[in-house]
Structures are given as structure tokens and as C-alpha cells.
Amino acid sequence: MRNGESRTRFIIHHASFIISAISFLALLAATIAWSRRKAPSPADFTFIIRGDITTLDTRGITWLQDMRIAYALYEGLYTLDPRTLKPVLGCADRVDITPDKTVYTFHIRDDARWCNGDDVTAGDFIFAWRRALEQPGDYTYLFNCIAGAEAYKTACGQGKPADFSTVGVKAIDRKTLRVHLKQPVKFFPDLCAYVSYLPQHEPSMRKFRIVDAKTGRVSYDARFTRPPNLVGNGPYRLESWEFKQRLRLVASDYYWNRAAVKSKVIDALCYSDVRTAFLRYEMGGIDWISDINSMDAADLLARGRKDIHIFPGFGTYFYSINCQPKLKDGRPNPLADVRVRQALCMALDKRPIIDNVARLHQPIADTFLPPGIFAGYQSPQGLPHDPQRARQLLADAGYPGGRGFPKLSILYNEGDEHGLIAQICRKQWLDVLGIDIELEALEIKSFRQRLHGRDYTIARASWMGDYDDPSNFLGKFISTSDNNDAGWANARYDRLCRDGETEIDPTRRNAMFTQAEQILVDDVPIIPLYFYVNCYLYPDRVRGLPPDPRSMVMLHAVEVHRP
Amino acid sequence: MKRYVIIRTLQFPLILAVIYLLTFFLTWVVPGSPFETGDKKSNELALRLMAERFHADNWHSFLGHYPLRLMRGDFGQSMQYPDWSVTDIVKTSLPISVSLGLFALTIATILGVSIGVLAAVRRGGAWDFLSLSVALIGISVPTFVVASILLMVFCVKLHWFAIGQWQSFSDLVLPGLALSLLPMAYITRLTRVAMLDVLSSDFVRTARAKGLSRFAVIRKHCLKHALLPVFSYLGPAAAATLTGSFVVETVFNIPGLGQHFVNSVRNKDQTLILAVVMIYSAMLLSLNLLVDIGYAFLDPRIQVEAKSGG
């Protein structure tokens, strides 16, 4: 007992000393742990990504910054020209296309190699495509144009027996791949260059294979994408990936077009906060940021900074209007009347949104498709800003001066400038039409659930294109589309879109799409507000970042001139 | 004492299970799908298959599946970052938060106790004013303001530190300072009040009368009493600081665990939410137990046996 007592007294007498000593030791340990870390050698090209890469498994990639890295690690049959971002032959050096444009035979390069030295074969493409159909992601719909692909995907999803030989993809020999399409698809080369169509290296993934005991479904533990497991056939191999810190790409020793690889070592630094990322850029040493908040960007523009680059984007910011006859709660929907929708649209002056909120000289949108991006496409005439007619239309619909108009709301997600834009619209609708529309801000997940569930009256929305064709935008509002959040249906519109997709003659095709968009604009299931612009920040020394509307960048072509 | 520790330890799994269940049900009632990204509507089939892979297609399947994995120490894959398992994420981010937290806690304790003692001894003087300022700033100024000011002054204007790096010891200094301010404020006030209390007690007067120097009286007789409340505060403070802070980690771009507390909820990343909540709870429980035991050593008047006896 005595022993314990003396120990207690010792501790009591020296409490402050003990606490200090423990703290000091902890500090020392931390310091030592720190000093043992090695700073990485500098890269040839360093850029900043937001947060972190979500996934490098090509079948599940949806984010732009993941795609940029994927293109550095993999190469499709077609790839994108680094300057024009149009599809050019990549891993295949020759393609035979039948006159009816439904059968493509690809000849894979003899010198196409995986980064471990293995030969790239037709089987590698079939493996990746088959995986995509069996374990679909958000972009698996891009395979629908291949004969039998959609049916195979659906059968697999429902757990029914499915035979892959019914899908129009065959390996003629080790290096030859033949693809049968359902119908001619004008943009099939674009699809072949898309991330979903990239090949995968089965032998290196084999040890990550998981077979579900119950359903028999095969999936792969996504850890196969982590270095040193990931084997790609692109210009780079993934040397390291520290979660939320850094990815390092090093030029592949086996890529067939090594001469085109400008930077041998690339670092992608992860920054969660755009503001901190921007400050980091301002300190120097960073070659490129593709994500800055509009306040900083507008400030730099005003100061006449030369390293800010603004160019047209590939998307539209708009308000989606619920067109269904009844609202989710059973009330009759006043917006089902086209005159009300037109009144809302024509009452809006969109200029203050650009001048006071968006602030990057975004083009005002009166139509849905960004103009000047699709070759040969003529945008239709949008509805003008006309307060007089707007009031008249609302009166015709039975709400003169806004009297008797039911309570509606603008639904948007918190963050960014959505709230400010909604306030501007609310004020204008109140001033011009005399109707007070409430604002309803939601957390993003709840917001999406309400938007996709058509449980709203007016909602903030946006659409970003995936591939270079008007159908990619117009398809959103086909009455059967999953993405038709407005619940709008127009038989003539549907027919024009469908016919346009299969039309081979480019002029007739574009004319059909223009007619379809005219219907969309006149019928107002959406109120277009502005077209997105892209904003890059990079100094003079950096070359090879093209002003691509989709802001795609082929990292291997980026070059930094150091003095 | 032994009995007390054993009982408390046995309570651990029970408390953790309750916390697990509460968190689990809260994550299920929150709207939205963890697998949906972007403004486009996700493919229904893709969503269903993903959910099946995670056994997250319905709540009872998830509840029946996930705790068993947890028992084996396997937190499963992150739903938001499918290339990473939750264990990987915790393994890379927890040590970072712990080292940053230890650093911050050390600063907070050393400075907090020193200022608090000086403030009490020189009551109404300059030190007292300083202690009041520290406490006022630490408690009332939000961390994101402090962090941003530190970043602007020392990185952007003075160029003393690099921005948003996590490579060398110097990268620890500013976030450490920002993180230490709140516990420092508490510790300063706690020490000061306790010290004032002790300084006016009879045994201190006796000790002084005995001819002991002021310094010796404070060091030998007062400090250990004054430290008792600080000590009990250190338990929860350590759990909070060692698991990282969302704000500090975001402003200084530190890849720690703190950001996952907020981001995982925002992404509805159920596996990650459960993991961070369980880690935080386990840490809080063990640190509180440690504090209770340490308390008994520091203050023999406290009888833990009596407490445990109910």
C-alpha cells in the first residue's frame, strides 16, 4: 500500500512537470516523424485538381478531372487530337468502314503496348467493353449504338442468362477488332475516343476479381487502379497516388508515340478549397488551375492579368420548369399552361445576372444549345425579353397583374451563386408580372432527389455536353429520356430528334435539330439563362492547353518552358 | 480501482453499439443516394448494381452485413471514392490529424497554463489582460477567420510559410496555431480561475508565512490544484483535436481526417460516415477513461470506487 501511496504523491508533486514532459516528448516524436519525410523531386508540369480523383476505373468515370488523368493513362482505338480535341486514330493505326457506315474494323498498332510491356490486343478492348455492359456506369449508355449491347446490358442487370456473342463486337484475330452498329452513327469515332471505350488490362486485374457467391456476378475490387497495380496503355504510368494529396504520372517506357510526350513527369496536386488553391497558385510554382471561383476570376480580369484565359464552355445554365398537369402534392400546376411559361421567360432581363453575379462575360442564353460549337448547326430564334408581352400572356392565362397566381418556388442547391441568381429572378418576376415566387434552398443531395423526382415547380439546372453532337443536348428532353426533369412531352420534337440521329446527310440532319430546338425554345420547358464559360489560370511559360469547350486537355501535350 | 476500469471498459462495446445504431439510422433517413454524382440523373441499373455491391440496397441487408465486417476490422469500400477502402482513407488521414492535433494540444497546454497562472498571480495586470484577450479571441472568433488571417499574413504577405503543403515541419506551424486557439482559450480561463481559488486559500498563506518563496509556493503547492480542471478538460479536447478539424484542414489543405466528418455526410458516404463516427467515439471514450483514472492519481480525495458503485 505504501508503495502505491508514494507513487501517487510523486505524481501529484510533479504533475505540471509530467504534463509538460509528455507534451514535449509528443512534440519531439511528431517532429522526428516529420523530418523523415522526403520532399518529392520537382515535376515537369504541375497542376491543381479539386478534391481528389474519384475513380480511375474507366467504366465508372464521370468527372472531367478523372477523364483527363484517364487519357494520360489509357488510349482508345481513337484518341483526341491534343490541339483540336477531335477524334484521331490512336491505338489503332487503320480502320475499315463499310459504305453503309455500320461495320468498323479496327487494326491495332503492332507497337501498341501496355506500360508493363505487354502487347495491346483486341481482347483488351472486348474485356473492358464487356465489363462496362455487365457493371454499367453513368456513361454506359454510350454503348447503346453497338448491335445487341443494350439488350445484353439489360439482361445482365436483371440477372437473366445473357450471351455476349450476341453483342456486335468480335476479335477477328489478336490485333483486329470488328464492331457492328445498330445503325450508322455519325459520331462513332468520338465515342471510340471516349473514356468508356478505353481498353483494360485483364491479367493485372485478375487478382482483384470478386465473384458474388449469391448472384454469380463478377466485379473487380477497384484497388486495381492504385499504383503499382494499374496497368495502362497510354502515354503515362501512374507512379504514385496519395489520397487527397498528390498523383504523380511518369512517361511510359512502352507508349508507341513517345516522341509526342512533352512532360516526362506530371504532378496533380489535390486542393479541396478553390480559394486555397488559388492562393497557392499566386505563390508561384503551379503551372495550371482549371477551377477558380468567379469572384477571384472577375477580380483578375478587372486587374488586366494576362494569365487568366476565358473561353466558351460546353454547357448551359437554365431554369427547369415542371410542365406536368399536376404537381407532386396533387395541386393543379399553373406552369402546365404554355402561356405562363412564356410569360416567365419573357419577363426576365438576364443581363444583370451576368453583370452582377456570374461576371465572366458569359453569353446570355436564349436557346438551349451553346451556339458556335457544333459544326454547321444554326441556333433557332429564342424568346426575347419583352415585359409588355409577358404581362399580356399572364393575363391571357387567367392571372391579370399576377392576381390569383398560386404560390410557387424556385428550388436550388446551396452554394455557388445559385441563391443570388434566384433572387434576381424573383425580384424581376415580382416587378414585371406581380407574382411573388418563393426561394427554396436545399442541400445538394436532397435537391437532386426533388429535381429528378419532378417534385418542384421551378428549379435551377444545368446541362453539360458529353460529345460533340446536338443530339447530346436535345436528347435530354425527349419524352422518354431519364434526364427529362421537366416532364415535358412533345411528339413532333421526339420525332425530329429521332430522325435527326439516324440521318446521314449533315445539312438535313442539322436542319432537323434546329427545328427541334425551335419547338423546345418556344414551348419553354426551360428558361435558358446563360452559357457557361471555362476559365483557366496559367502563366505564359505553359503551352498546349487548348481552349476546348469541354475543357478537355491531353496532358501529354502540355509543355512548360522553363528559363 | 481495477474493478472500476474493468466495468468502464466493458461498457465500451455497448456504448459504441448504441452510437453505431443511431448513426446508421440517421444516415439512412437522409435523402439522396451516395452513388449519384453530378446534375445528370444516374442510370437506374447502375445505381442498383452499385447498391447491391455495397449491400446498401435496403437497410436491413446493410445492417446485417456491415457490422460483421466491422468486427473483423474491415470498414469496407468508400462509396464516394470507390478506388479506396475506408481503412485506407483512415490509415492515411488519421496519423496526419493526430500529429497536427498533438502539436496543437501541446501549444495550447503549455501556453494556456502559463498565461493562466501568470494572469492569476498578477491579477488585474498586463498578463491578466492578455489572458482575457486570448480567451475572448479563442472562443468568439471562428476558426476559419483565424485560419484565413494566419494564411493571409504569414503566407501571402510575409512569405514565411508555403501554402497548402503537407511536407515539412514548417507546414505544421500555422494550422497547429489555428487549431490550438480554442483549447488554449479554455485552458487559460480554467487555469486562471482555479489558480485564483487556490491562491486565496489558507494553506498558501501558511506556506508563504513559512518563508517559502512566491515561486516555490506556486510551483509546489498551487499548480497541482489549479491543473485539475485543465486535466479533466484535456480528455474531450484531445479527442476533438486529434481527430482533426474540417475548417483548419480545408483552409490549409491538409489531408487529415477532419474533412471526412463533413464531406462524408455531404456525399452520404455511409461507410465512411460510420467509420469516422466510430473512431471519434472510441477515442472520446478511451480518453475520458484515461482522464478519470489520471484524476484519481492527481486528487486522492476522489474515490473512483464510489463512483462505479453507483
Side-chain angles (χ1 to χ4, degrees):
Chain A
M1 212 53 231
R2 224 186 134 60
N3 201 0
E5 217 168 84
S6 68
R7 193 179 61 198
T8 315
R9 281 171 59 169
F10 174 83
I11 291 173
I12 292 170
H13 276 278
H14 299 273
S16 60
F17 174 75
I18 290 172
I19 291 182
S20 325
I22 291 175
S23 320
F24 184 75
L25 282 177
L27 190 64
L28 203 69
T31 318
I32 292 168
W34 272 108
S35 55
R36 286 177 60 181
R37 284 171 58 100
K38 263 202 311 239
S41 56
D44 300 324
F45 170 49
T46 307
F47 69 103
I48 285 180
I49 56 176
R50 189 165 180 183
D52 199 350
I53 295 299
T54 304
T55 179
L56 288 176
D57 182 358
T58 53
R59 53 154 283 283
I61 291 180
T62 53
W63 292 103
L64 178 71
Q65 55 183 16
D66 298 15
M67 291 182 194
R68 292 182 188 137
I69 302 280
Y71 281 127
L73 297 174
Y74 297 97
E75 187 178 61
L77 296 164
Y78 277 91
T79 185
L80 299 173
D81 178 90
R83 212 168 41 81
T84 63
L85 280 307
K86 299 279 176 222
V88 289
L89 282 172
C91 199
D93 57 357
R94 212 151 42 81
V95 57
D96 306 322
I97 307 168
T98 53
D100 67 349
K101 305 220 161 125
T102 55
V103 182
Y104 283 65
T105 309
F106 295 97
H107 303 275
I108 296 169
R109 287 171 194 282
D110 288 334
D111 53 352
R113 295 271 185 283
W114 293 96
C115 68
N116 64 357
D118 286 1
D119 217 11
V120 179
T121 66
D124 297 329
F125 285 91
I126 296 180
F127 167 70
W129 298 3
R130 178 175 181 163
R131 243 196 100 214
L133 294 176
E134 289 174 1
Q135 250 187 289
D138 282 348
Y139 283 113
T140 311
Y141 79 93
L142 295 177
F143 286 98
N144 288 357
C145 59
I146 297 178
E150 203 174 354
Y152 180 76
K153 180 180 77 179
T154 315
C156 286
Q158 291 166 345
K160 288 184 190 146
D163 181 8
F164 189 72
S165 65
T166 57
V167 181
V169 183
K170 304 269 175 313
I172 305 299
D173 59 46
R174 256 176 73 77
K175 286 280 192 181
T176 315
L177 181 73
R178 183 163 294 161
V179 182
H180 290 263
L181 303 182
K182 273 201 298 209
Q183 61 203 34
V185 177
K186 182 192 146 242
F187 47 87
F188 188 62
D190 294 78
L191 294 182
C192 286
Y194 208 72
V195 278
S196 321
Y197 278 74
L198 294 172
Q200 283 181 325
H201 185 251
E202 195 271 334
S204 63
M205 289 165 62
R206 208 171 289 155
K207 63 176 167 197
F208 299 100
R209 198 177 133 104
I210 305 163
V211 184
D212 190 304
K214 229 172 25 197
T215 58
R217 275 205 188 95
V218 176
S219 60
Y220 288 83
D221 184 334
R223 262 175 287 192
F224 79 84
T225 63
R226 303 250 300 281
N229 307 330
L230 188 135
V231 177
N233 67 331
Y236 293 90
R237 62 185 169 78
L238 185 60
E239 194 189 65
S240 65
W241 182 4
E242 294 162 73
F243 188 60
K244 296 235 172 187
Q245 294 189 61
R246 200 168 63 104
L247 285 93
R248 171 159 281 200
L249 308 175
V250 176
S252 161
D253 300 327
Y254 294 97
Y255 181 56
W256 63 273
N257 194 8
R258 288 189 291 280
V261 181
K262 304 284 190 212
S263 302
K264 301 296 171 210
V265 180
I266 296 182
D267 270 353
L269 306 182
C270 307
Y271 278 75
S272 302
D273 184 48
V274 263
R275 188 72 213 164
T276 310
F278 171 66
L279 291 175
R280 174 76 185 83
Y281 172 86
E282 291 290 84
M283 298 277 287
I286 300 295
D287 301 315
W288 175 43
I289 297 191
S290 61
D291 207 350
I292 22 178
N293 74 36
S294 55
M295 229 164 62
D296 285 328
D299 187 41
L300 291 179
L301 264 186
R303 275 164 36 203
R305 276 264 294 256
K306 291 276 178 284
D307 54 346
I308 181 153
H309 304 261
I310 293 182
F311 50 93
F314 201 53
T316 312
Y317 186 103
F318 59 90
Y319 277 160
S320 182
I321 302 187
N322 194 340
C323 300
Q324 293 179 303
K326 278 205 185 318
L327 296 175
K328 204 83 176 178
D329 55 10
R331 282 186 299 160
N333 181 6
L335 301 172
D337 186 336
V338 65
R339 290 169 297 186
V340 178
R341 300 202 296 265
Q342 286 172 337
L344 288 175
C345 183
M346 289 163 106
L348 280 189
D349 176 14
K350 298 159 190 170
R351 177 54 57 194
I353 295 175
I354 309 299
D355 290 349
N356 304 331
V357 182
R359 293 170 70 200
L360 295 177
H361 310 308
Q362 285 91 341
I364 288 177
D366 293 322
T367 55
F368 180 43
L369 274 65
I373 283 184
F374 305 107
Y377 181 77
Q378 189 68 45
S379 289
Q381 190 70 43
L383 293 182
H385 167 54
D386 187 344
Q388 198 63 46
R389 270 205 62 205
R391 276 189 286 266
Q392 187 57 48
L393 280 163
L394 195 68
D396 294 348
Y399 309 104
R403 278 186 297 279
F405 197 76
K407 275 232 167 307
L408 303 184
S409 71
I410 305 177
L411 187 75
Y412 60 93
N413 56 303
E414 284 158 345
D416 296 330
E417 291 91 13
H418 307 315
L420 293 172
I421 294 173
Q423 283 176 34
I424 292 179
C425 295
R426 177 192 198 177
K427 175 83 170 54
Q428 292 193 15
W429 281 329
L430 185 64
D431 291 350
V432 176
L433 300 175
I435 54 177
D436 191 11
I437 293 187
E438 285 171 18
L439 304 188
E440 201 179 350
L442 279 183
E443 176 274 334
I444 182 82
K445 291 262 174 196
S446 324
F447 165 77
R448 281 185 197 140
Q449 202 174 41
R450 295 262 310 263
L451 178 69
H452 299 323
R454 297 177 186 167
D455 183 9
Y456 68 96
T457 47
I458 301 168
R460 174 212 73 90
S462 64
W463 187 255
M464 304 297 258
D466 295 322
Y467 52 89
D468 203 353
D469 194 76
S471 64
N472 188 213
F473 275 76
L474 295 170
K476 175 173 163 65
F477 289 103
I478 291 180
S479 55
T480 52
S481 161
D482 276 349
N483 278 304
N484 187 346
D485 299 323
W488 177 73
N490 183 304
R492 225 184 114 225
Y493 177 87
D494 287 5
R495 204 174 49 245
L496 280 165
C497 287
R498 294 248 156 75
D499 292 350
E501 268 185 56
T502 47
E503 177 60 54
I504 302 177
D505 178 60
T507 322
R508 294 233 314 263
R509 189 166 193 273
N510 278 329
M512 285 176 183
F513 285 143
T514 305
Q515 278 179 47
E517 194 185 359
Q518 185 73 64
I519 298 173
L520 182 81
V521 170
D522 290 343
D523 223 38
V524 207
I526 59 165
I527 302 175
L529 295 179
Y530 64 82
F531 297 114
Y532 283 111
V533 294
N534 296 323
C535 181
Y536 287 172
L537 206 53
Y538 62 86
D540 231 9
R541 61 175 186 268
V542 183
R543 310 280 152 77
L545 290 168
D548 177 50
R550 281 175 291 179
S551 55
M552 188 48 73
V553 166
M554 302 305 273
L555 295 172
H556 70 271
V558 180
E559 198 172 3
V560 183
H561 292 268
R562 304 219 185 261
Chain B
M1 185 72 185
K2 253 186 215 147
R3 212 180 117 224
Y4 172 69
V5 174
I6 290 170
I7 290 174
R8 281 286 295 266
T9 322
L10 284 177
Q11 286 172 348
F12 265 33
L14 195 70
I15 299 173
L16 284 178
V18 172
I19 295 173
Y20 175 86
L21 279 178
L22 276 178
T23 320
F24 169 81
F25 282 112
L26 284 175
T27 58
W28 271 97
V29 294
V30 169
S33 156
F35 307 110
E36 229 169 69
T37 54
D39 276 355
K40 285 175 193 169
K41 193 173 174 184
S42 286
N43 182 293
E44 297 275 344
L45 181 63
L47 281 185
R48 189 167 58 76
L49 289 180
M50 269 299 256
E52 272 177 25
R53 257 188 79 193
F54 279 93
H55 300 268
D57 35 350
N58 55 50
W59 66 269
H60 39 87
S61 143
F62 191 74
L63 189 60
H65 177 80
Y66 193 67
L68 293 176
R69 291 183 75 156
L70 255 184
M71 305 254 190
R72 297 198 301 264
D74 176 8
F75 288 103
Q77 295 292 113
S78 158
M79 294 178 175
Q80 184 69 21
Y81 295 98
D83 295 15
W84 294 82
S85 71
V86 171
T87 316
D88 286 333
I89 293 177
V90 170
K91 250 195 240 161
T92 54
S93 56
L94 186 61
I96 291 172
S97 288
V98 167
S99 48
L100 181 62
L102 272 179
F103 181 78
L105 215 55
T106 312
I107 300 180
T109 316
I110 293 177
L111 286 184
V113 168
S114 318
I115 297 174
V117 168
L118 284 170
V121 173
R122 308 220 196 285
R123 192 178 177 184
W127 282 105
D128 203 11
F129 183 72
L130 178 72
S131 88
L132 196 67
S133 319
V134 167
L136 211 60
I137 292 172
I139 289 173
S140 53
V141 181
T143 321
F144 69 89
V145 174
V146 177
S148 306
I149 290 174
L150 286 175
L151 192 74
M152 283 313 284
V153 173
F154 293 101
C155 301
V156 178
K157 297 279 176 239
L158 297 174
H159 293 272
W160 286 3
F161 299 97
I163 292 181
Q165 273 186 19
W166 192 243
Q167 277 162 12
S168 61
F169 180 70
S170 66
D171 299 330
L172 199 72
V173 175
L174 289 184
L177 267 180
L179 196 59
S180 69
L181 216 56
L182 184 69
M184 197 195 295
Y186 273 106
I187 292 174
T188 309
R189 292 315 277 173
L190 286 173
T191 316
R192 182 180 172 275
V193 171
M195 198 70 186
L196 282 177
D197 201 34
V198 180
L199 280 176
S200 60
S201 58
D202 292 341
F203 73 88
V204 172
R205 205 176 312 124
T206 315
R208 284 286 279 156
K210 227 166 55 174
L212 278 179
S213 76
R214 206 176 149 90
F215 179 74
V217 172
I218 291 168
R219 197 178 71 81
K220 282 196 179 143
H221 298 276
C222 303
L223 208 52
K224 66 170 195 235
H225 293 276
L227 278 179
L228 278 175
V230 174
F231 197 72
S232 57
Y233 168 70
L234 273 181
T241 353
L242 299 188
T243 45
S245 141
F246 172 71
V247 174
V248 170
E249 287 179 10
T250 307
V251 174
F252 292 99
N253 197 46
I254 291 164
L257 191 70
Q259 55 183 324
H260 300 305
F261 280 91
V262 177
N263 286 335
S264 64
V265 175
R266 199 147 53 187
N267 297 329
K268 214 188 167 204
D269 192 341
Q270 286 155 333
T271 41
L272 191 55
I273 295 174
L274 283 169
V276 289
V277 170
M278 295 319 279
I279 288 170
Y280 179 76
S281 319
M283 261 172 120
L284 190 64
L285 286 173
S286 0
L287 283 165
N288 273 344
L289 178 63
L290 271 182
V291 166
D292 283 353
I293 297 169
Y295 219 73
F297 279 110
L298 274 183
D299 190 348
R301 284 171 303 181
I302 294 173
Q303 290 197 345
V304 279
E305 300 284 356
K307 252 208 248 170
S308 69

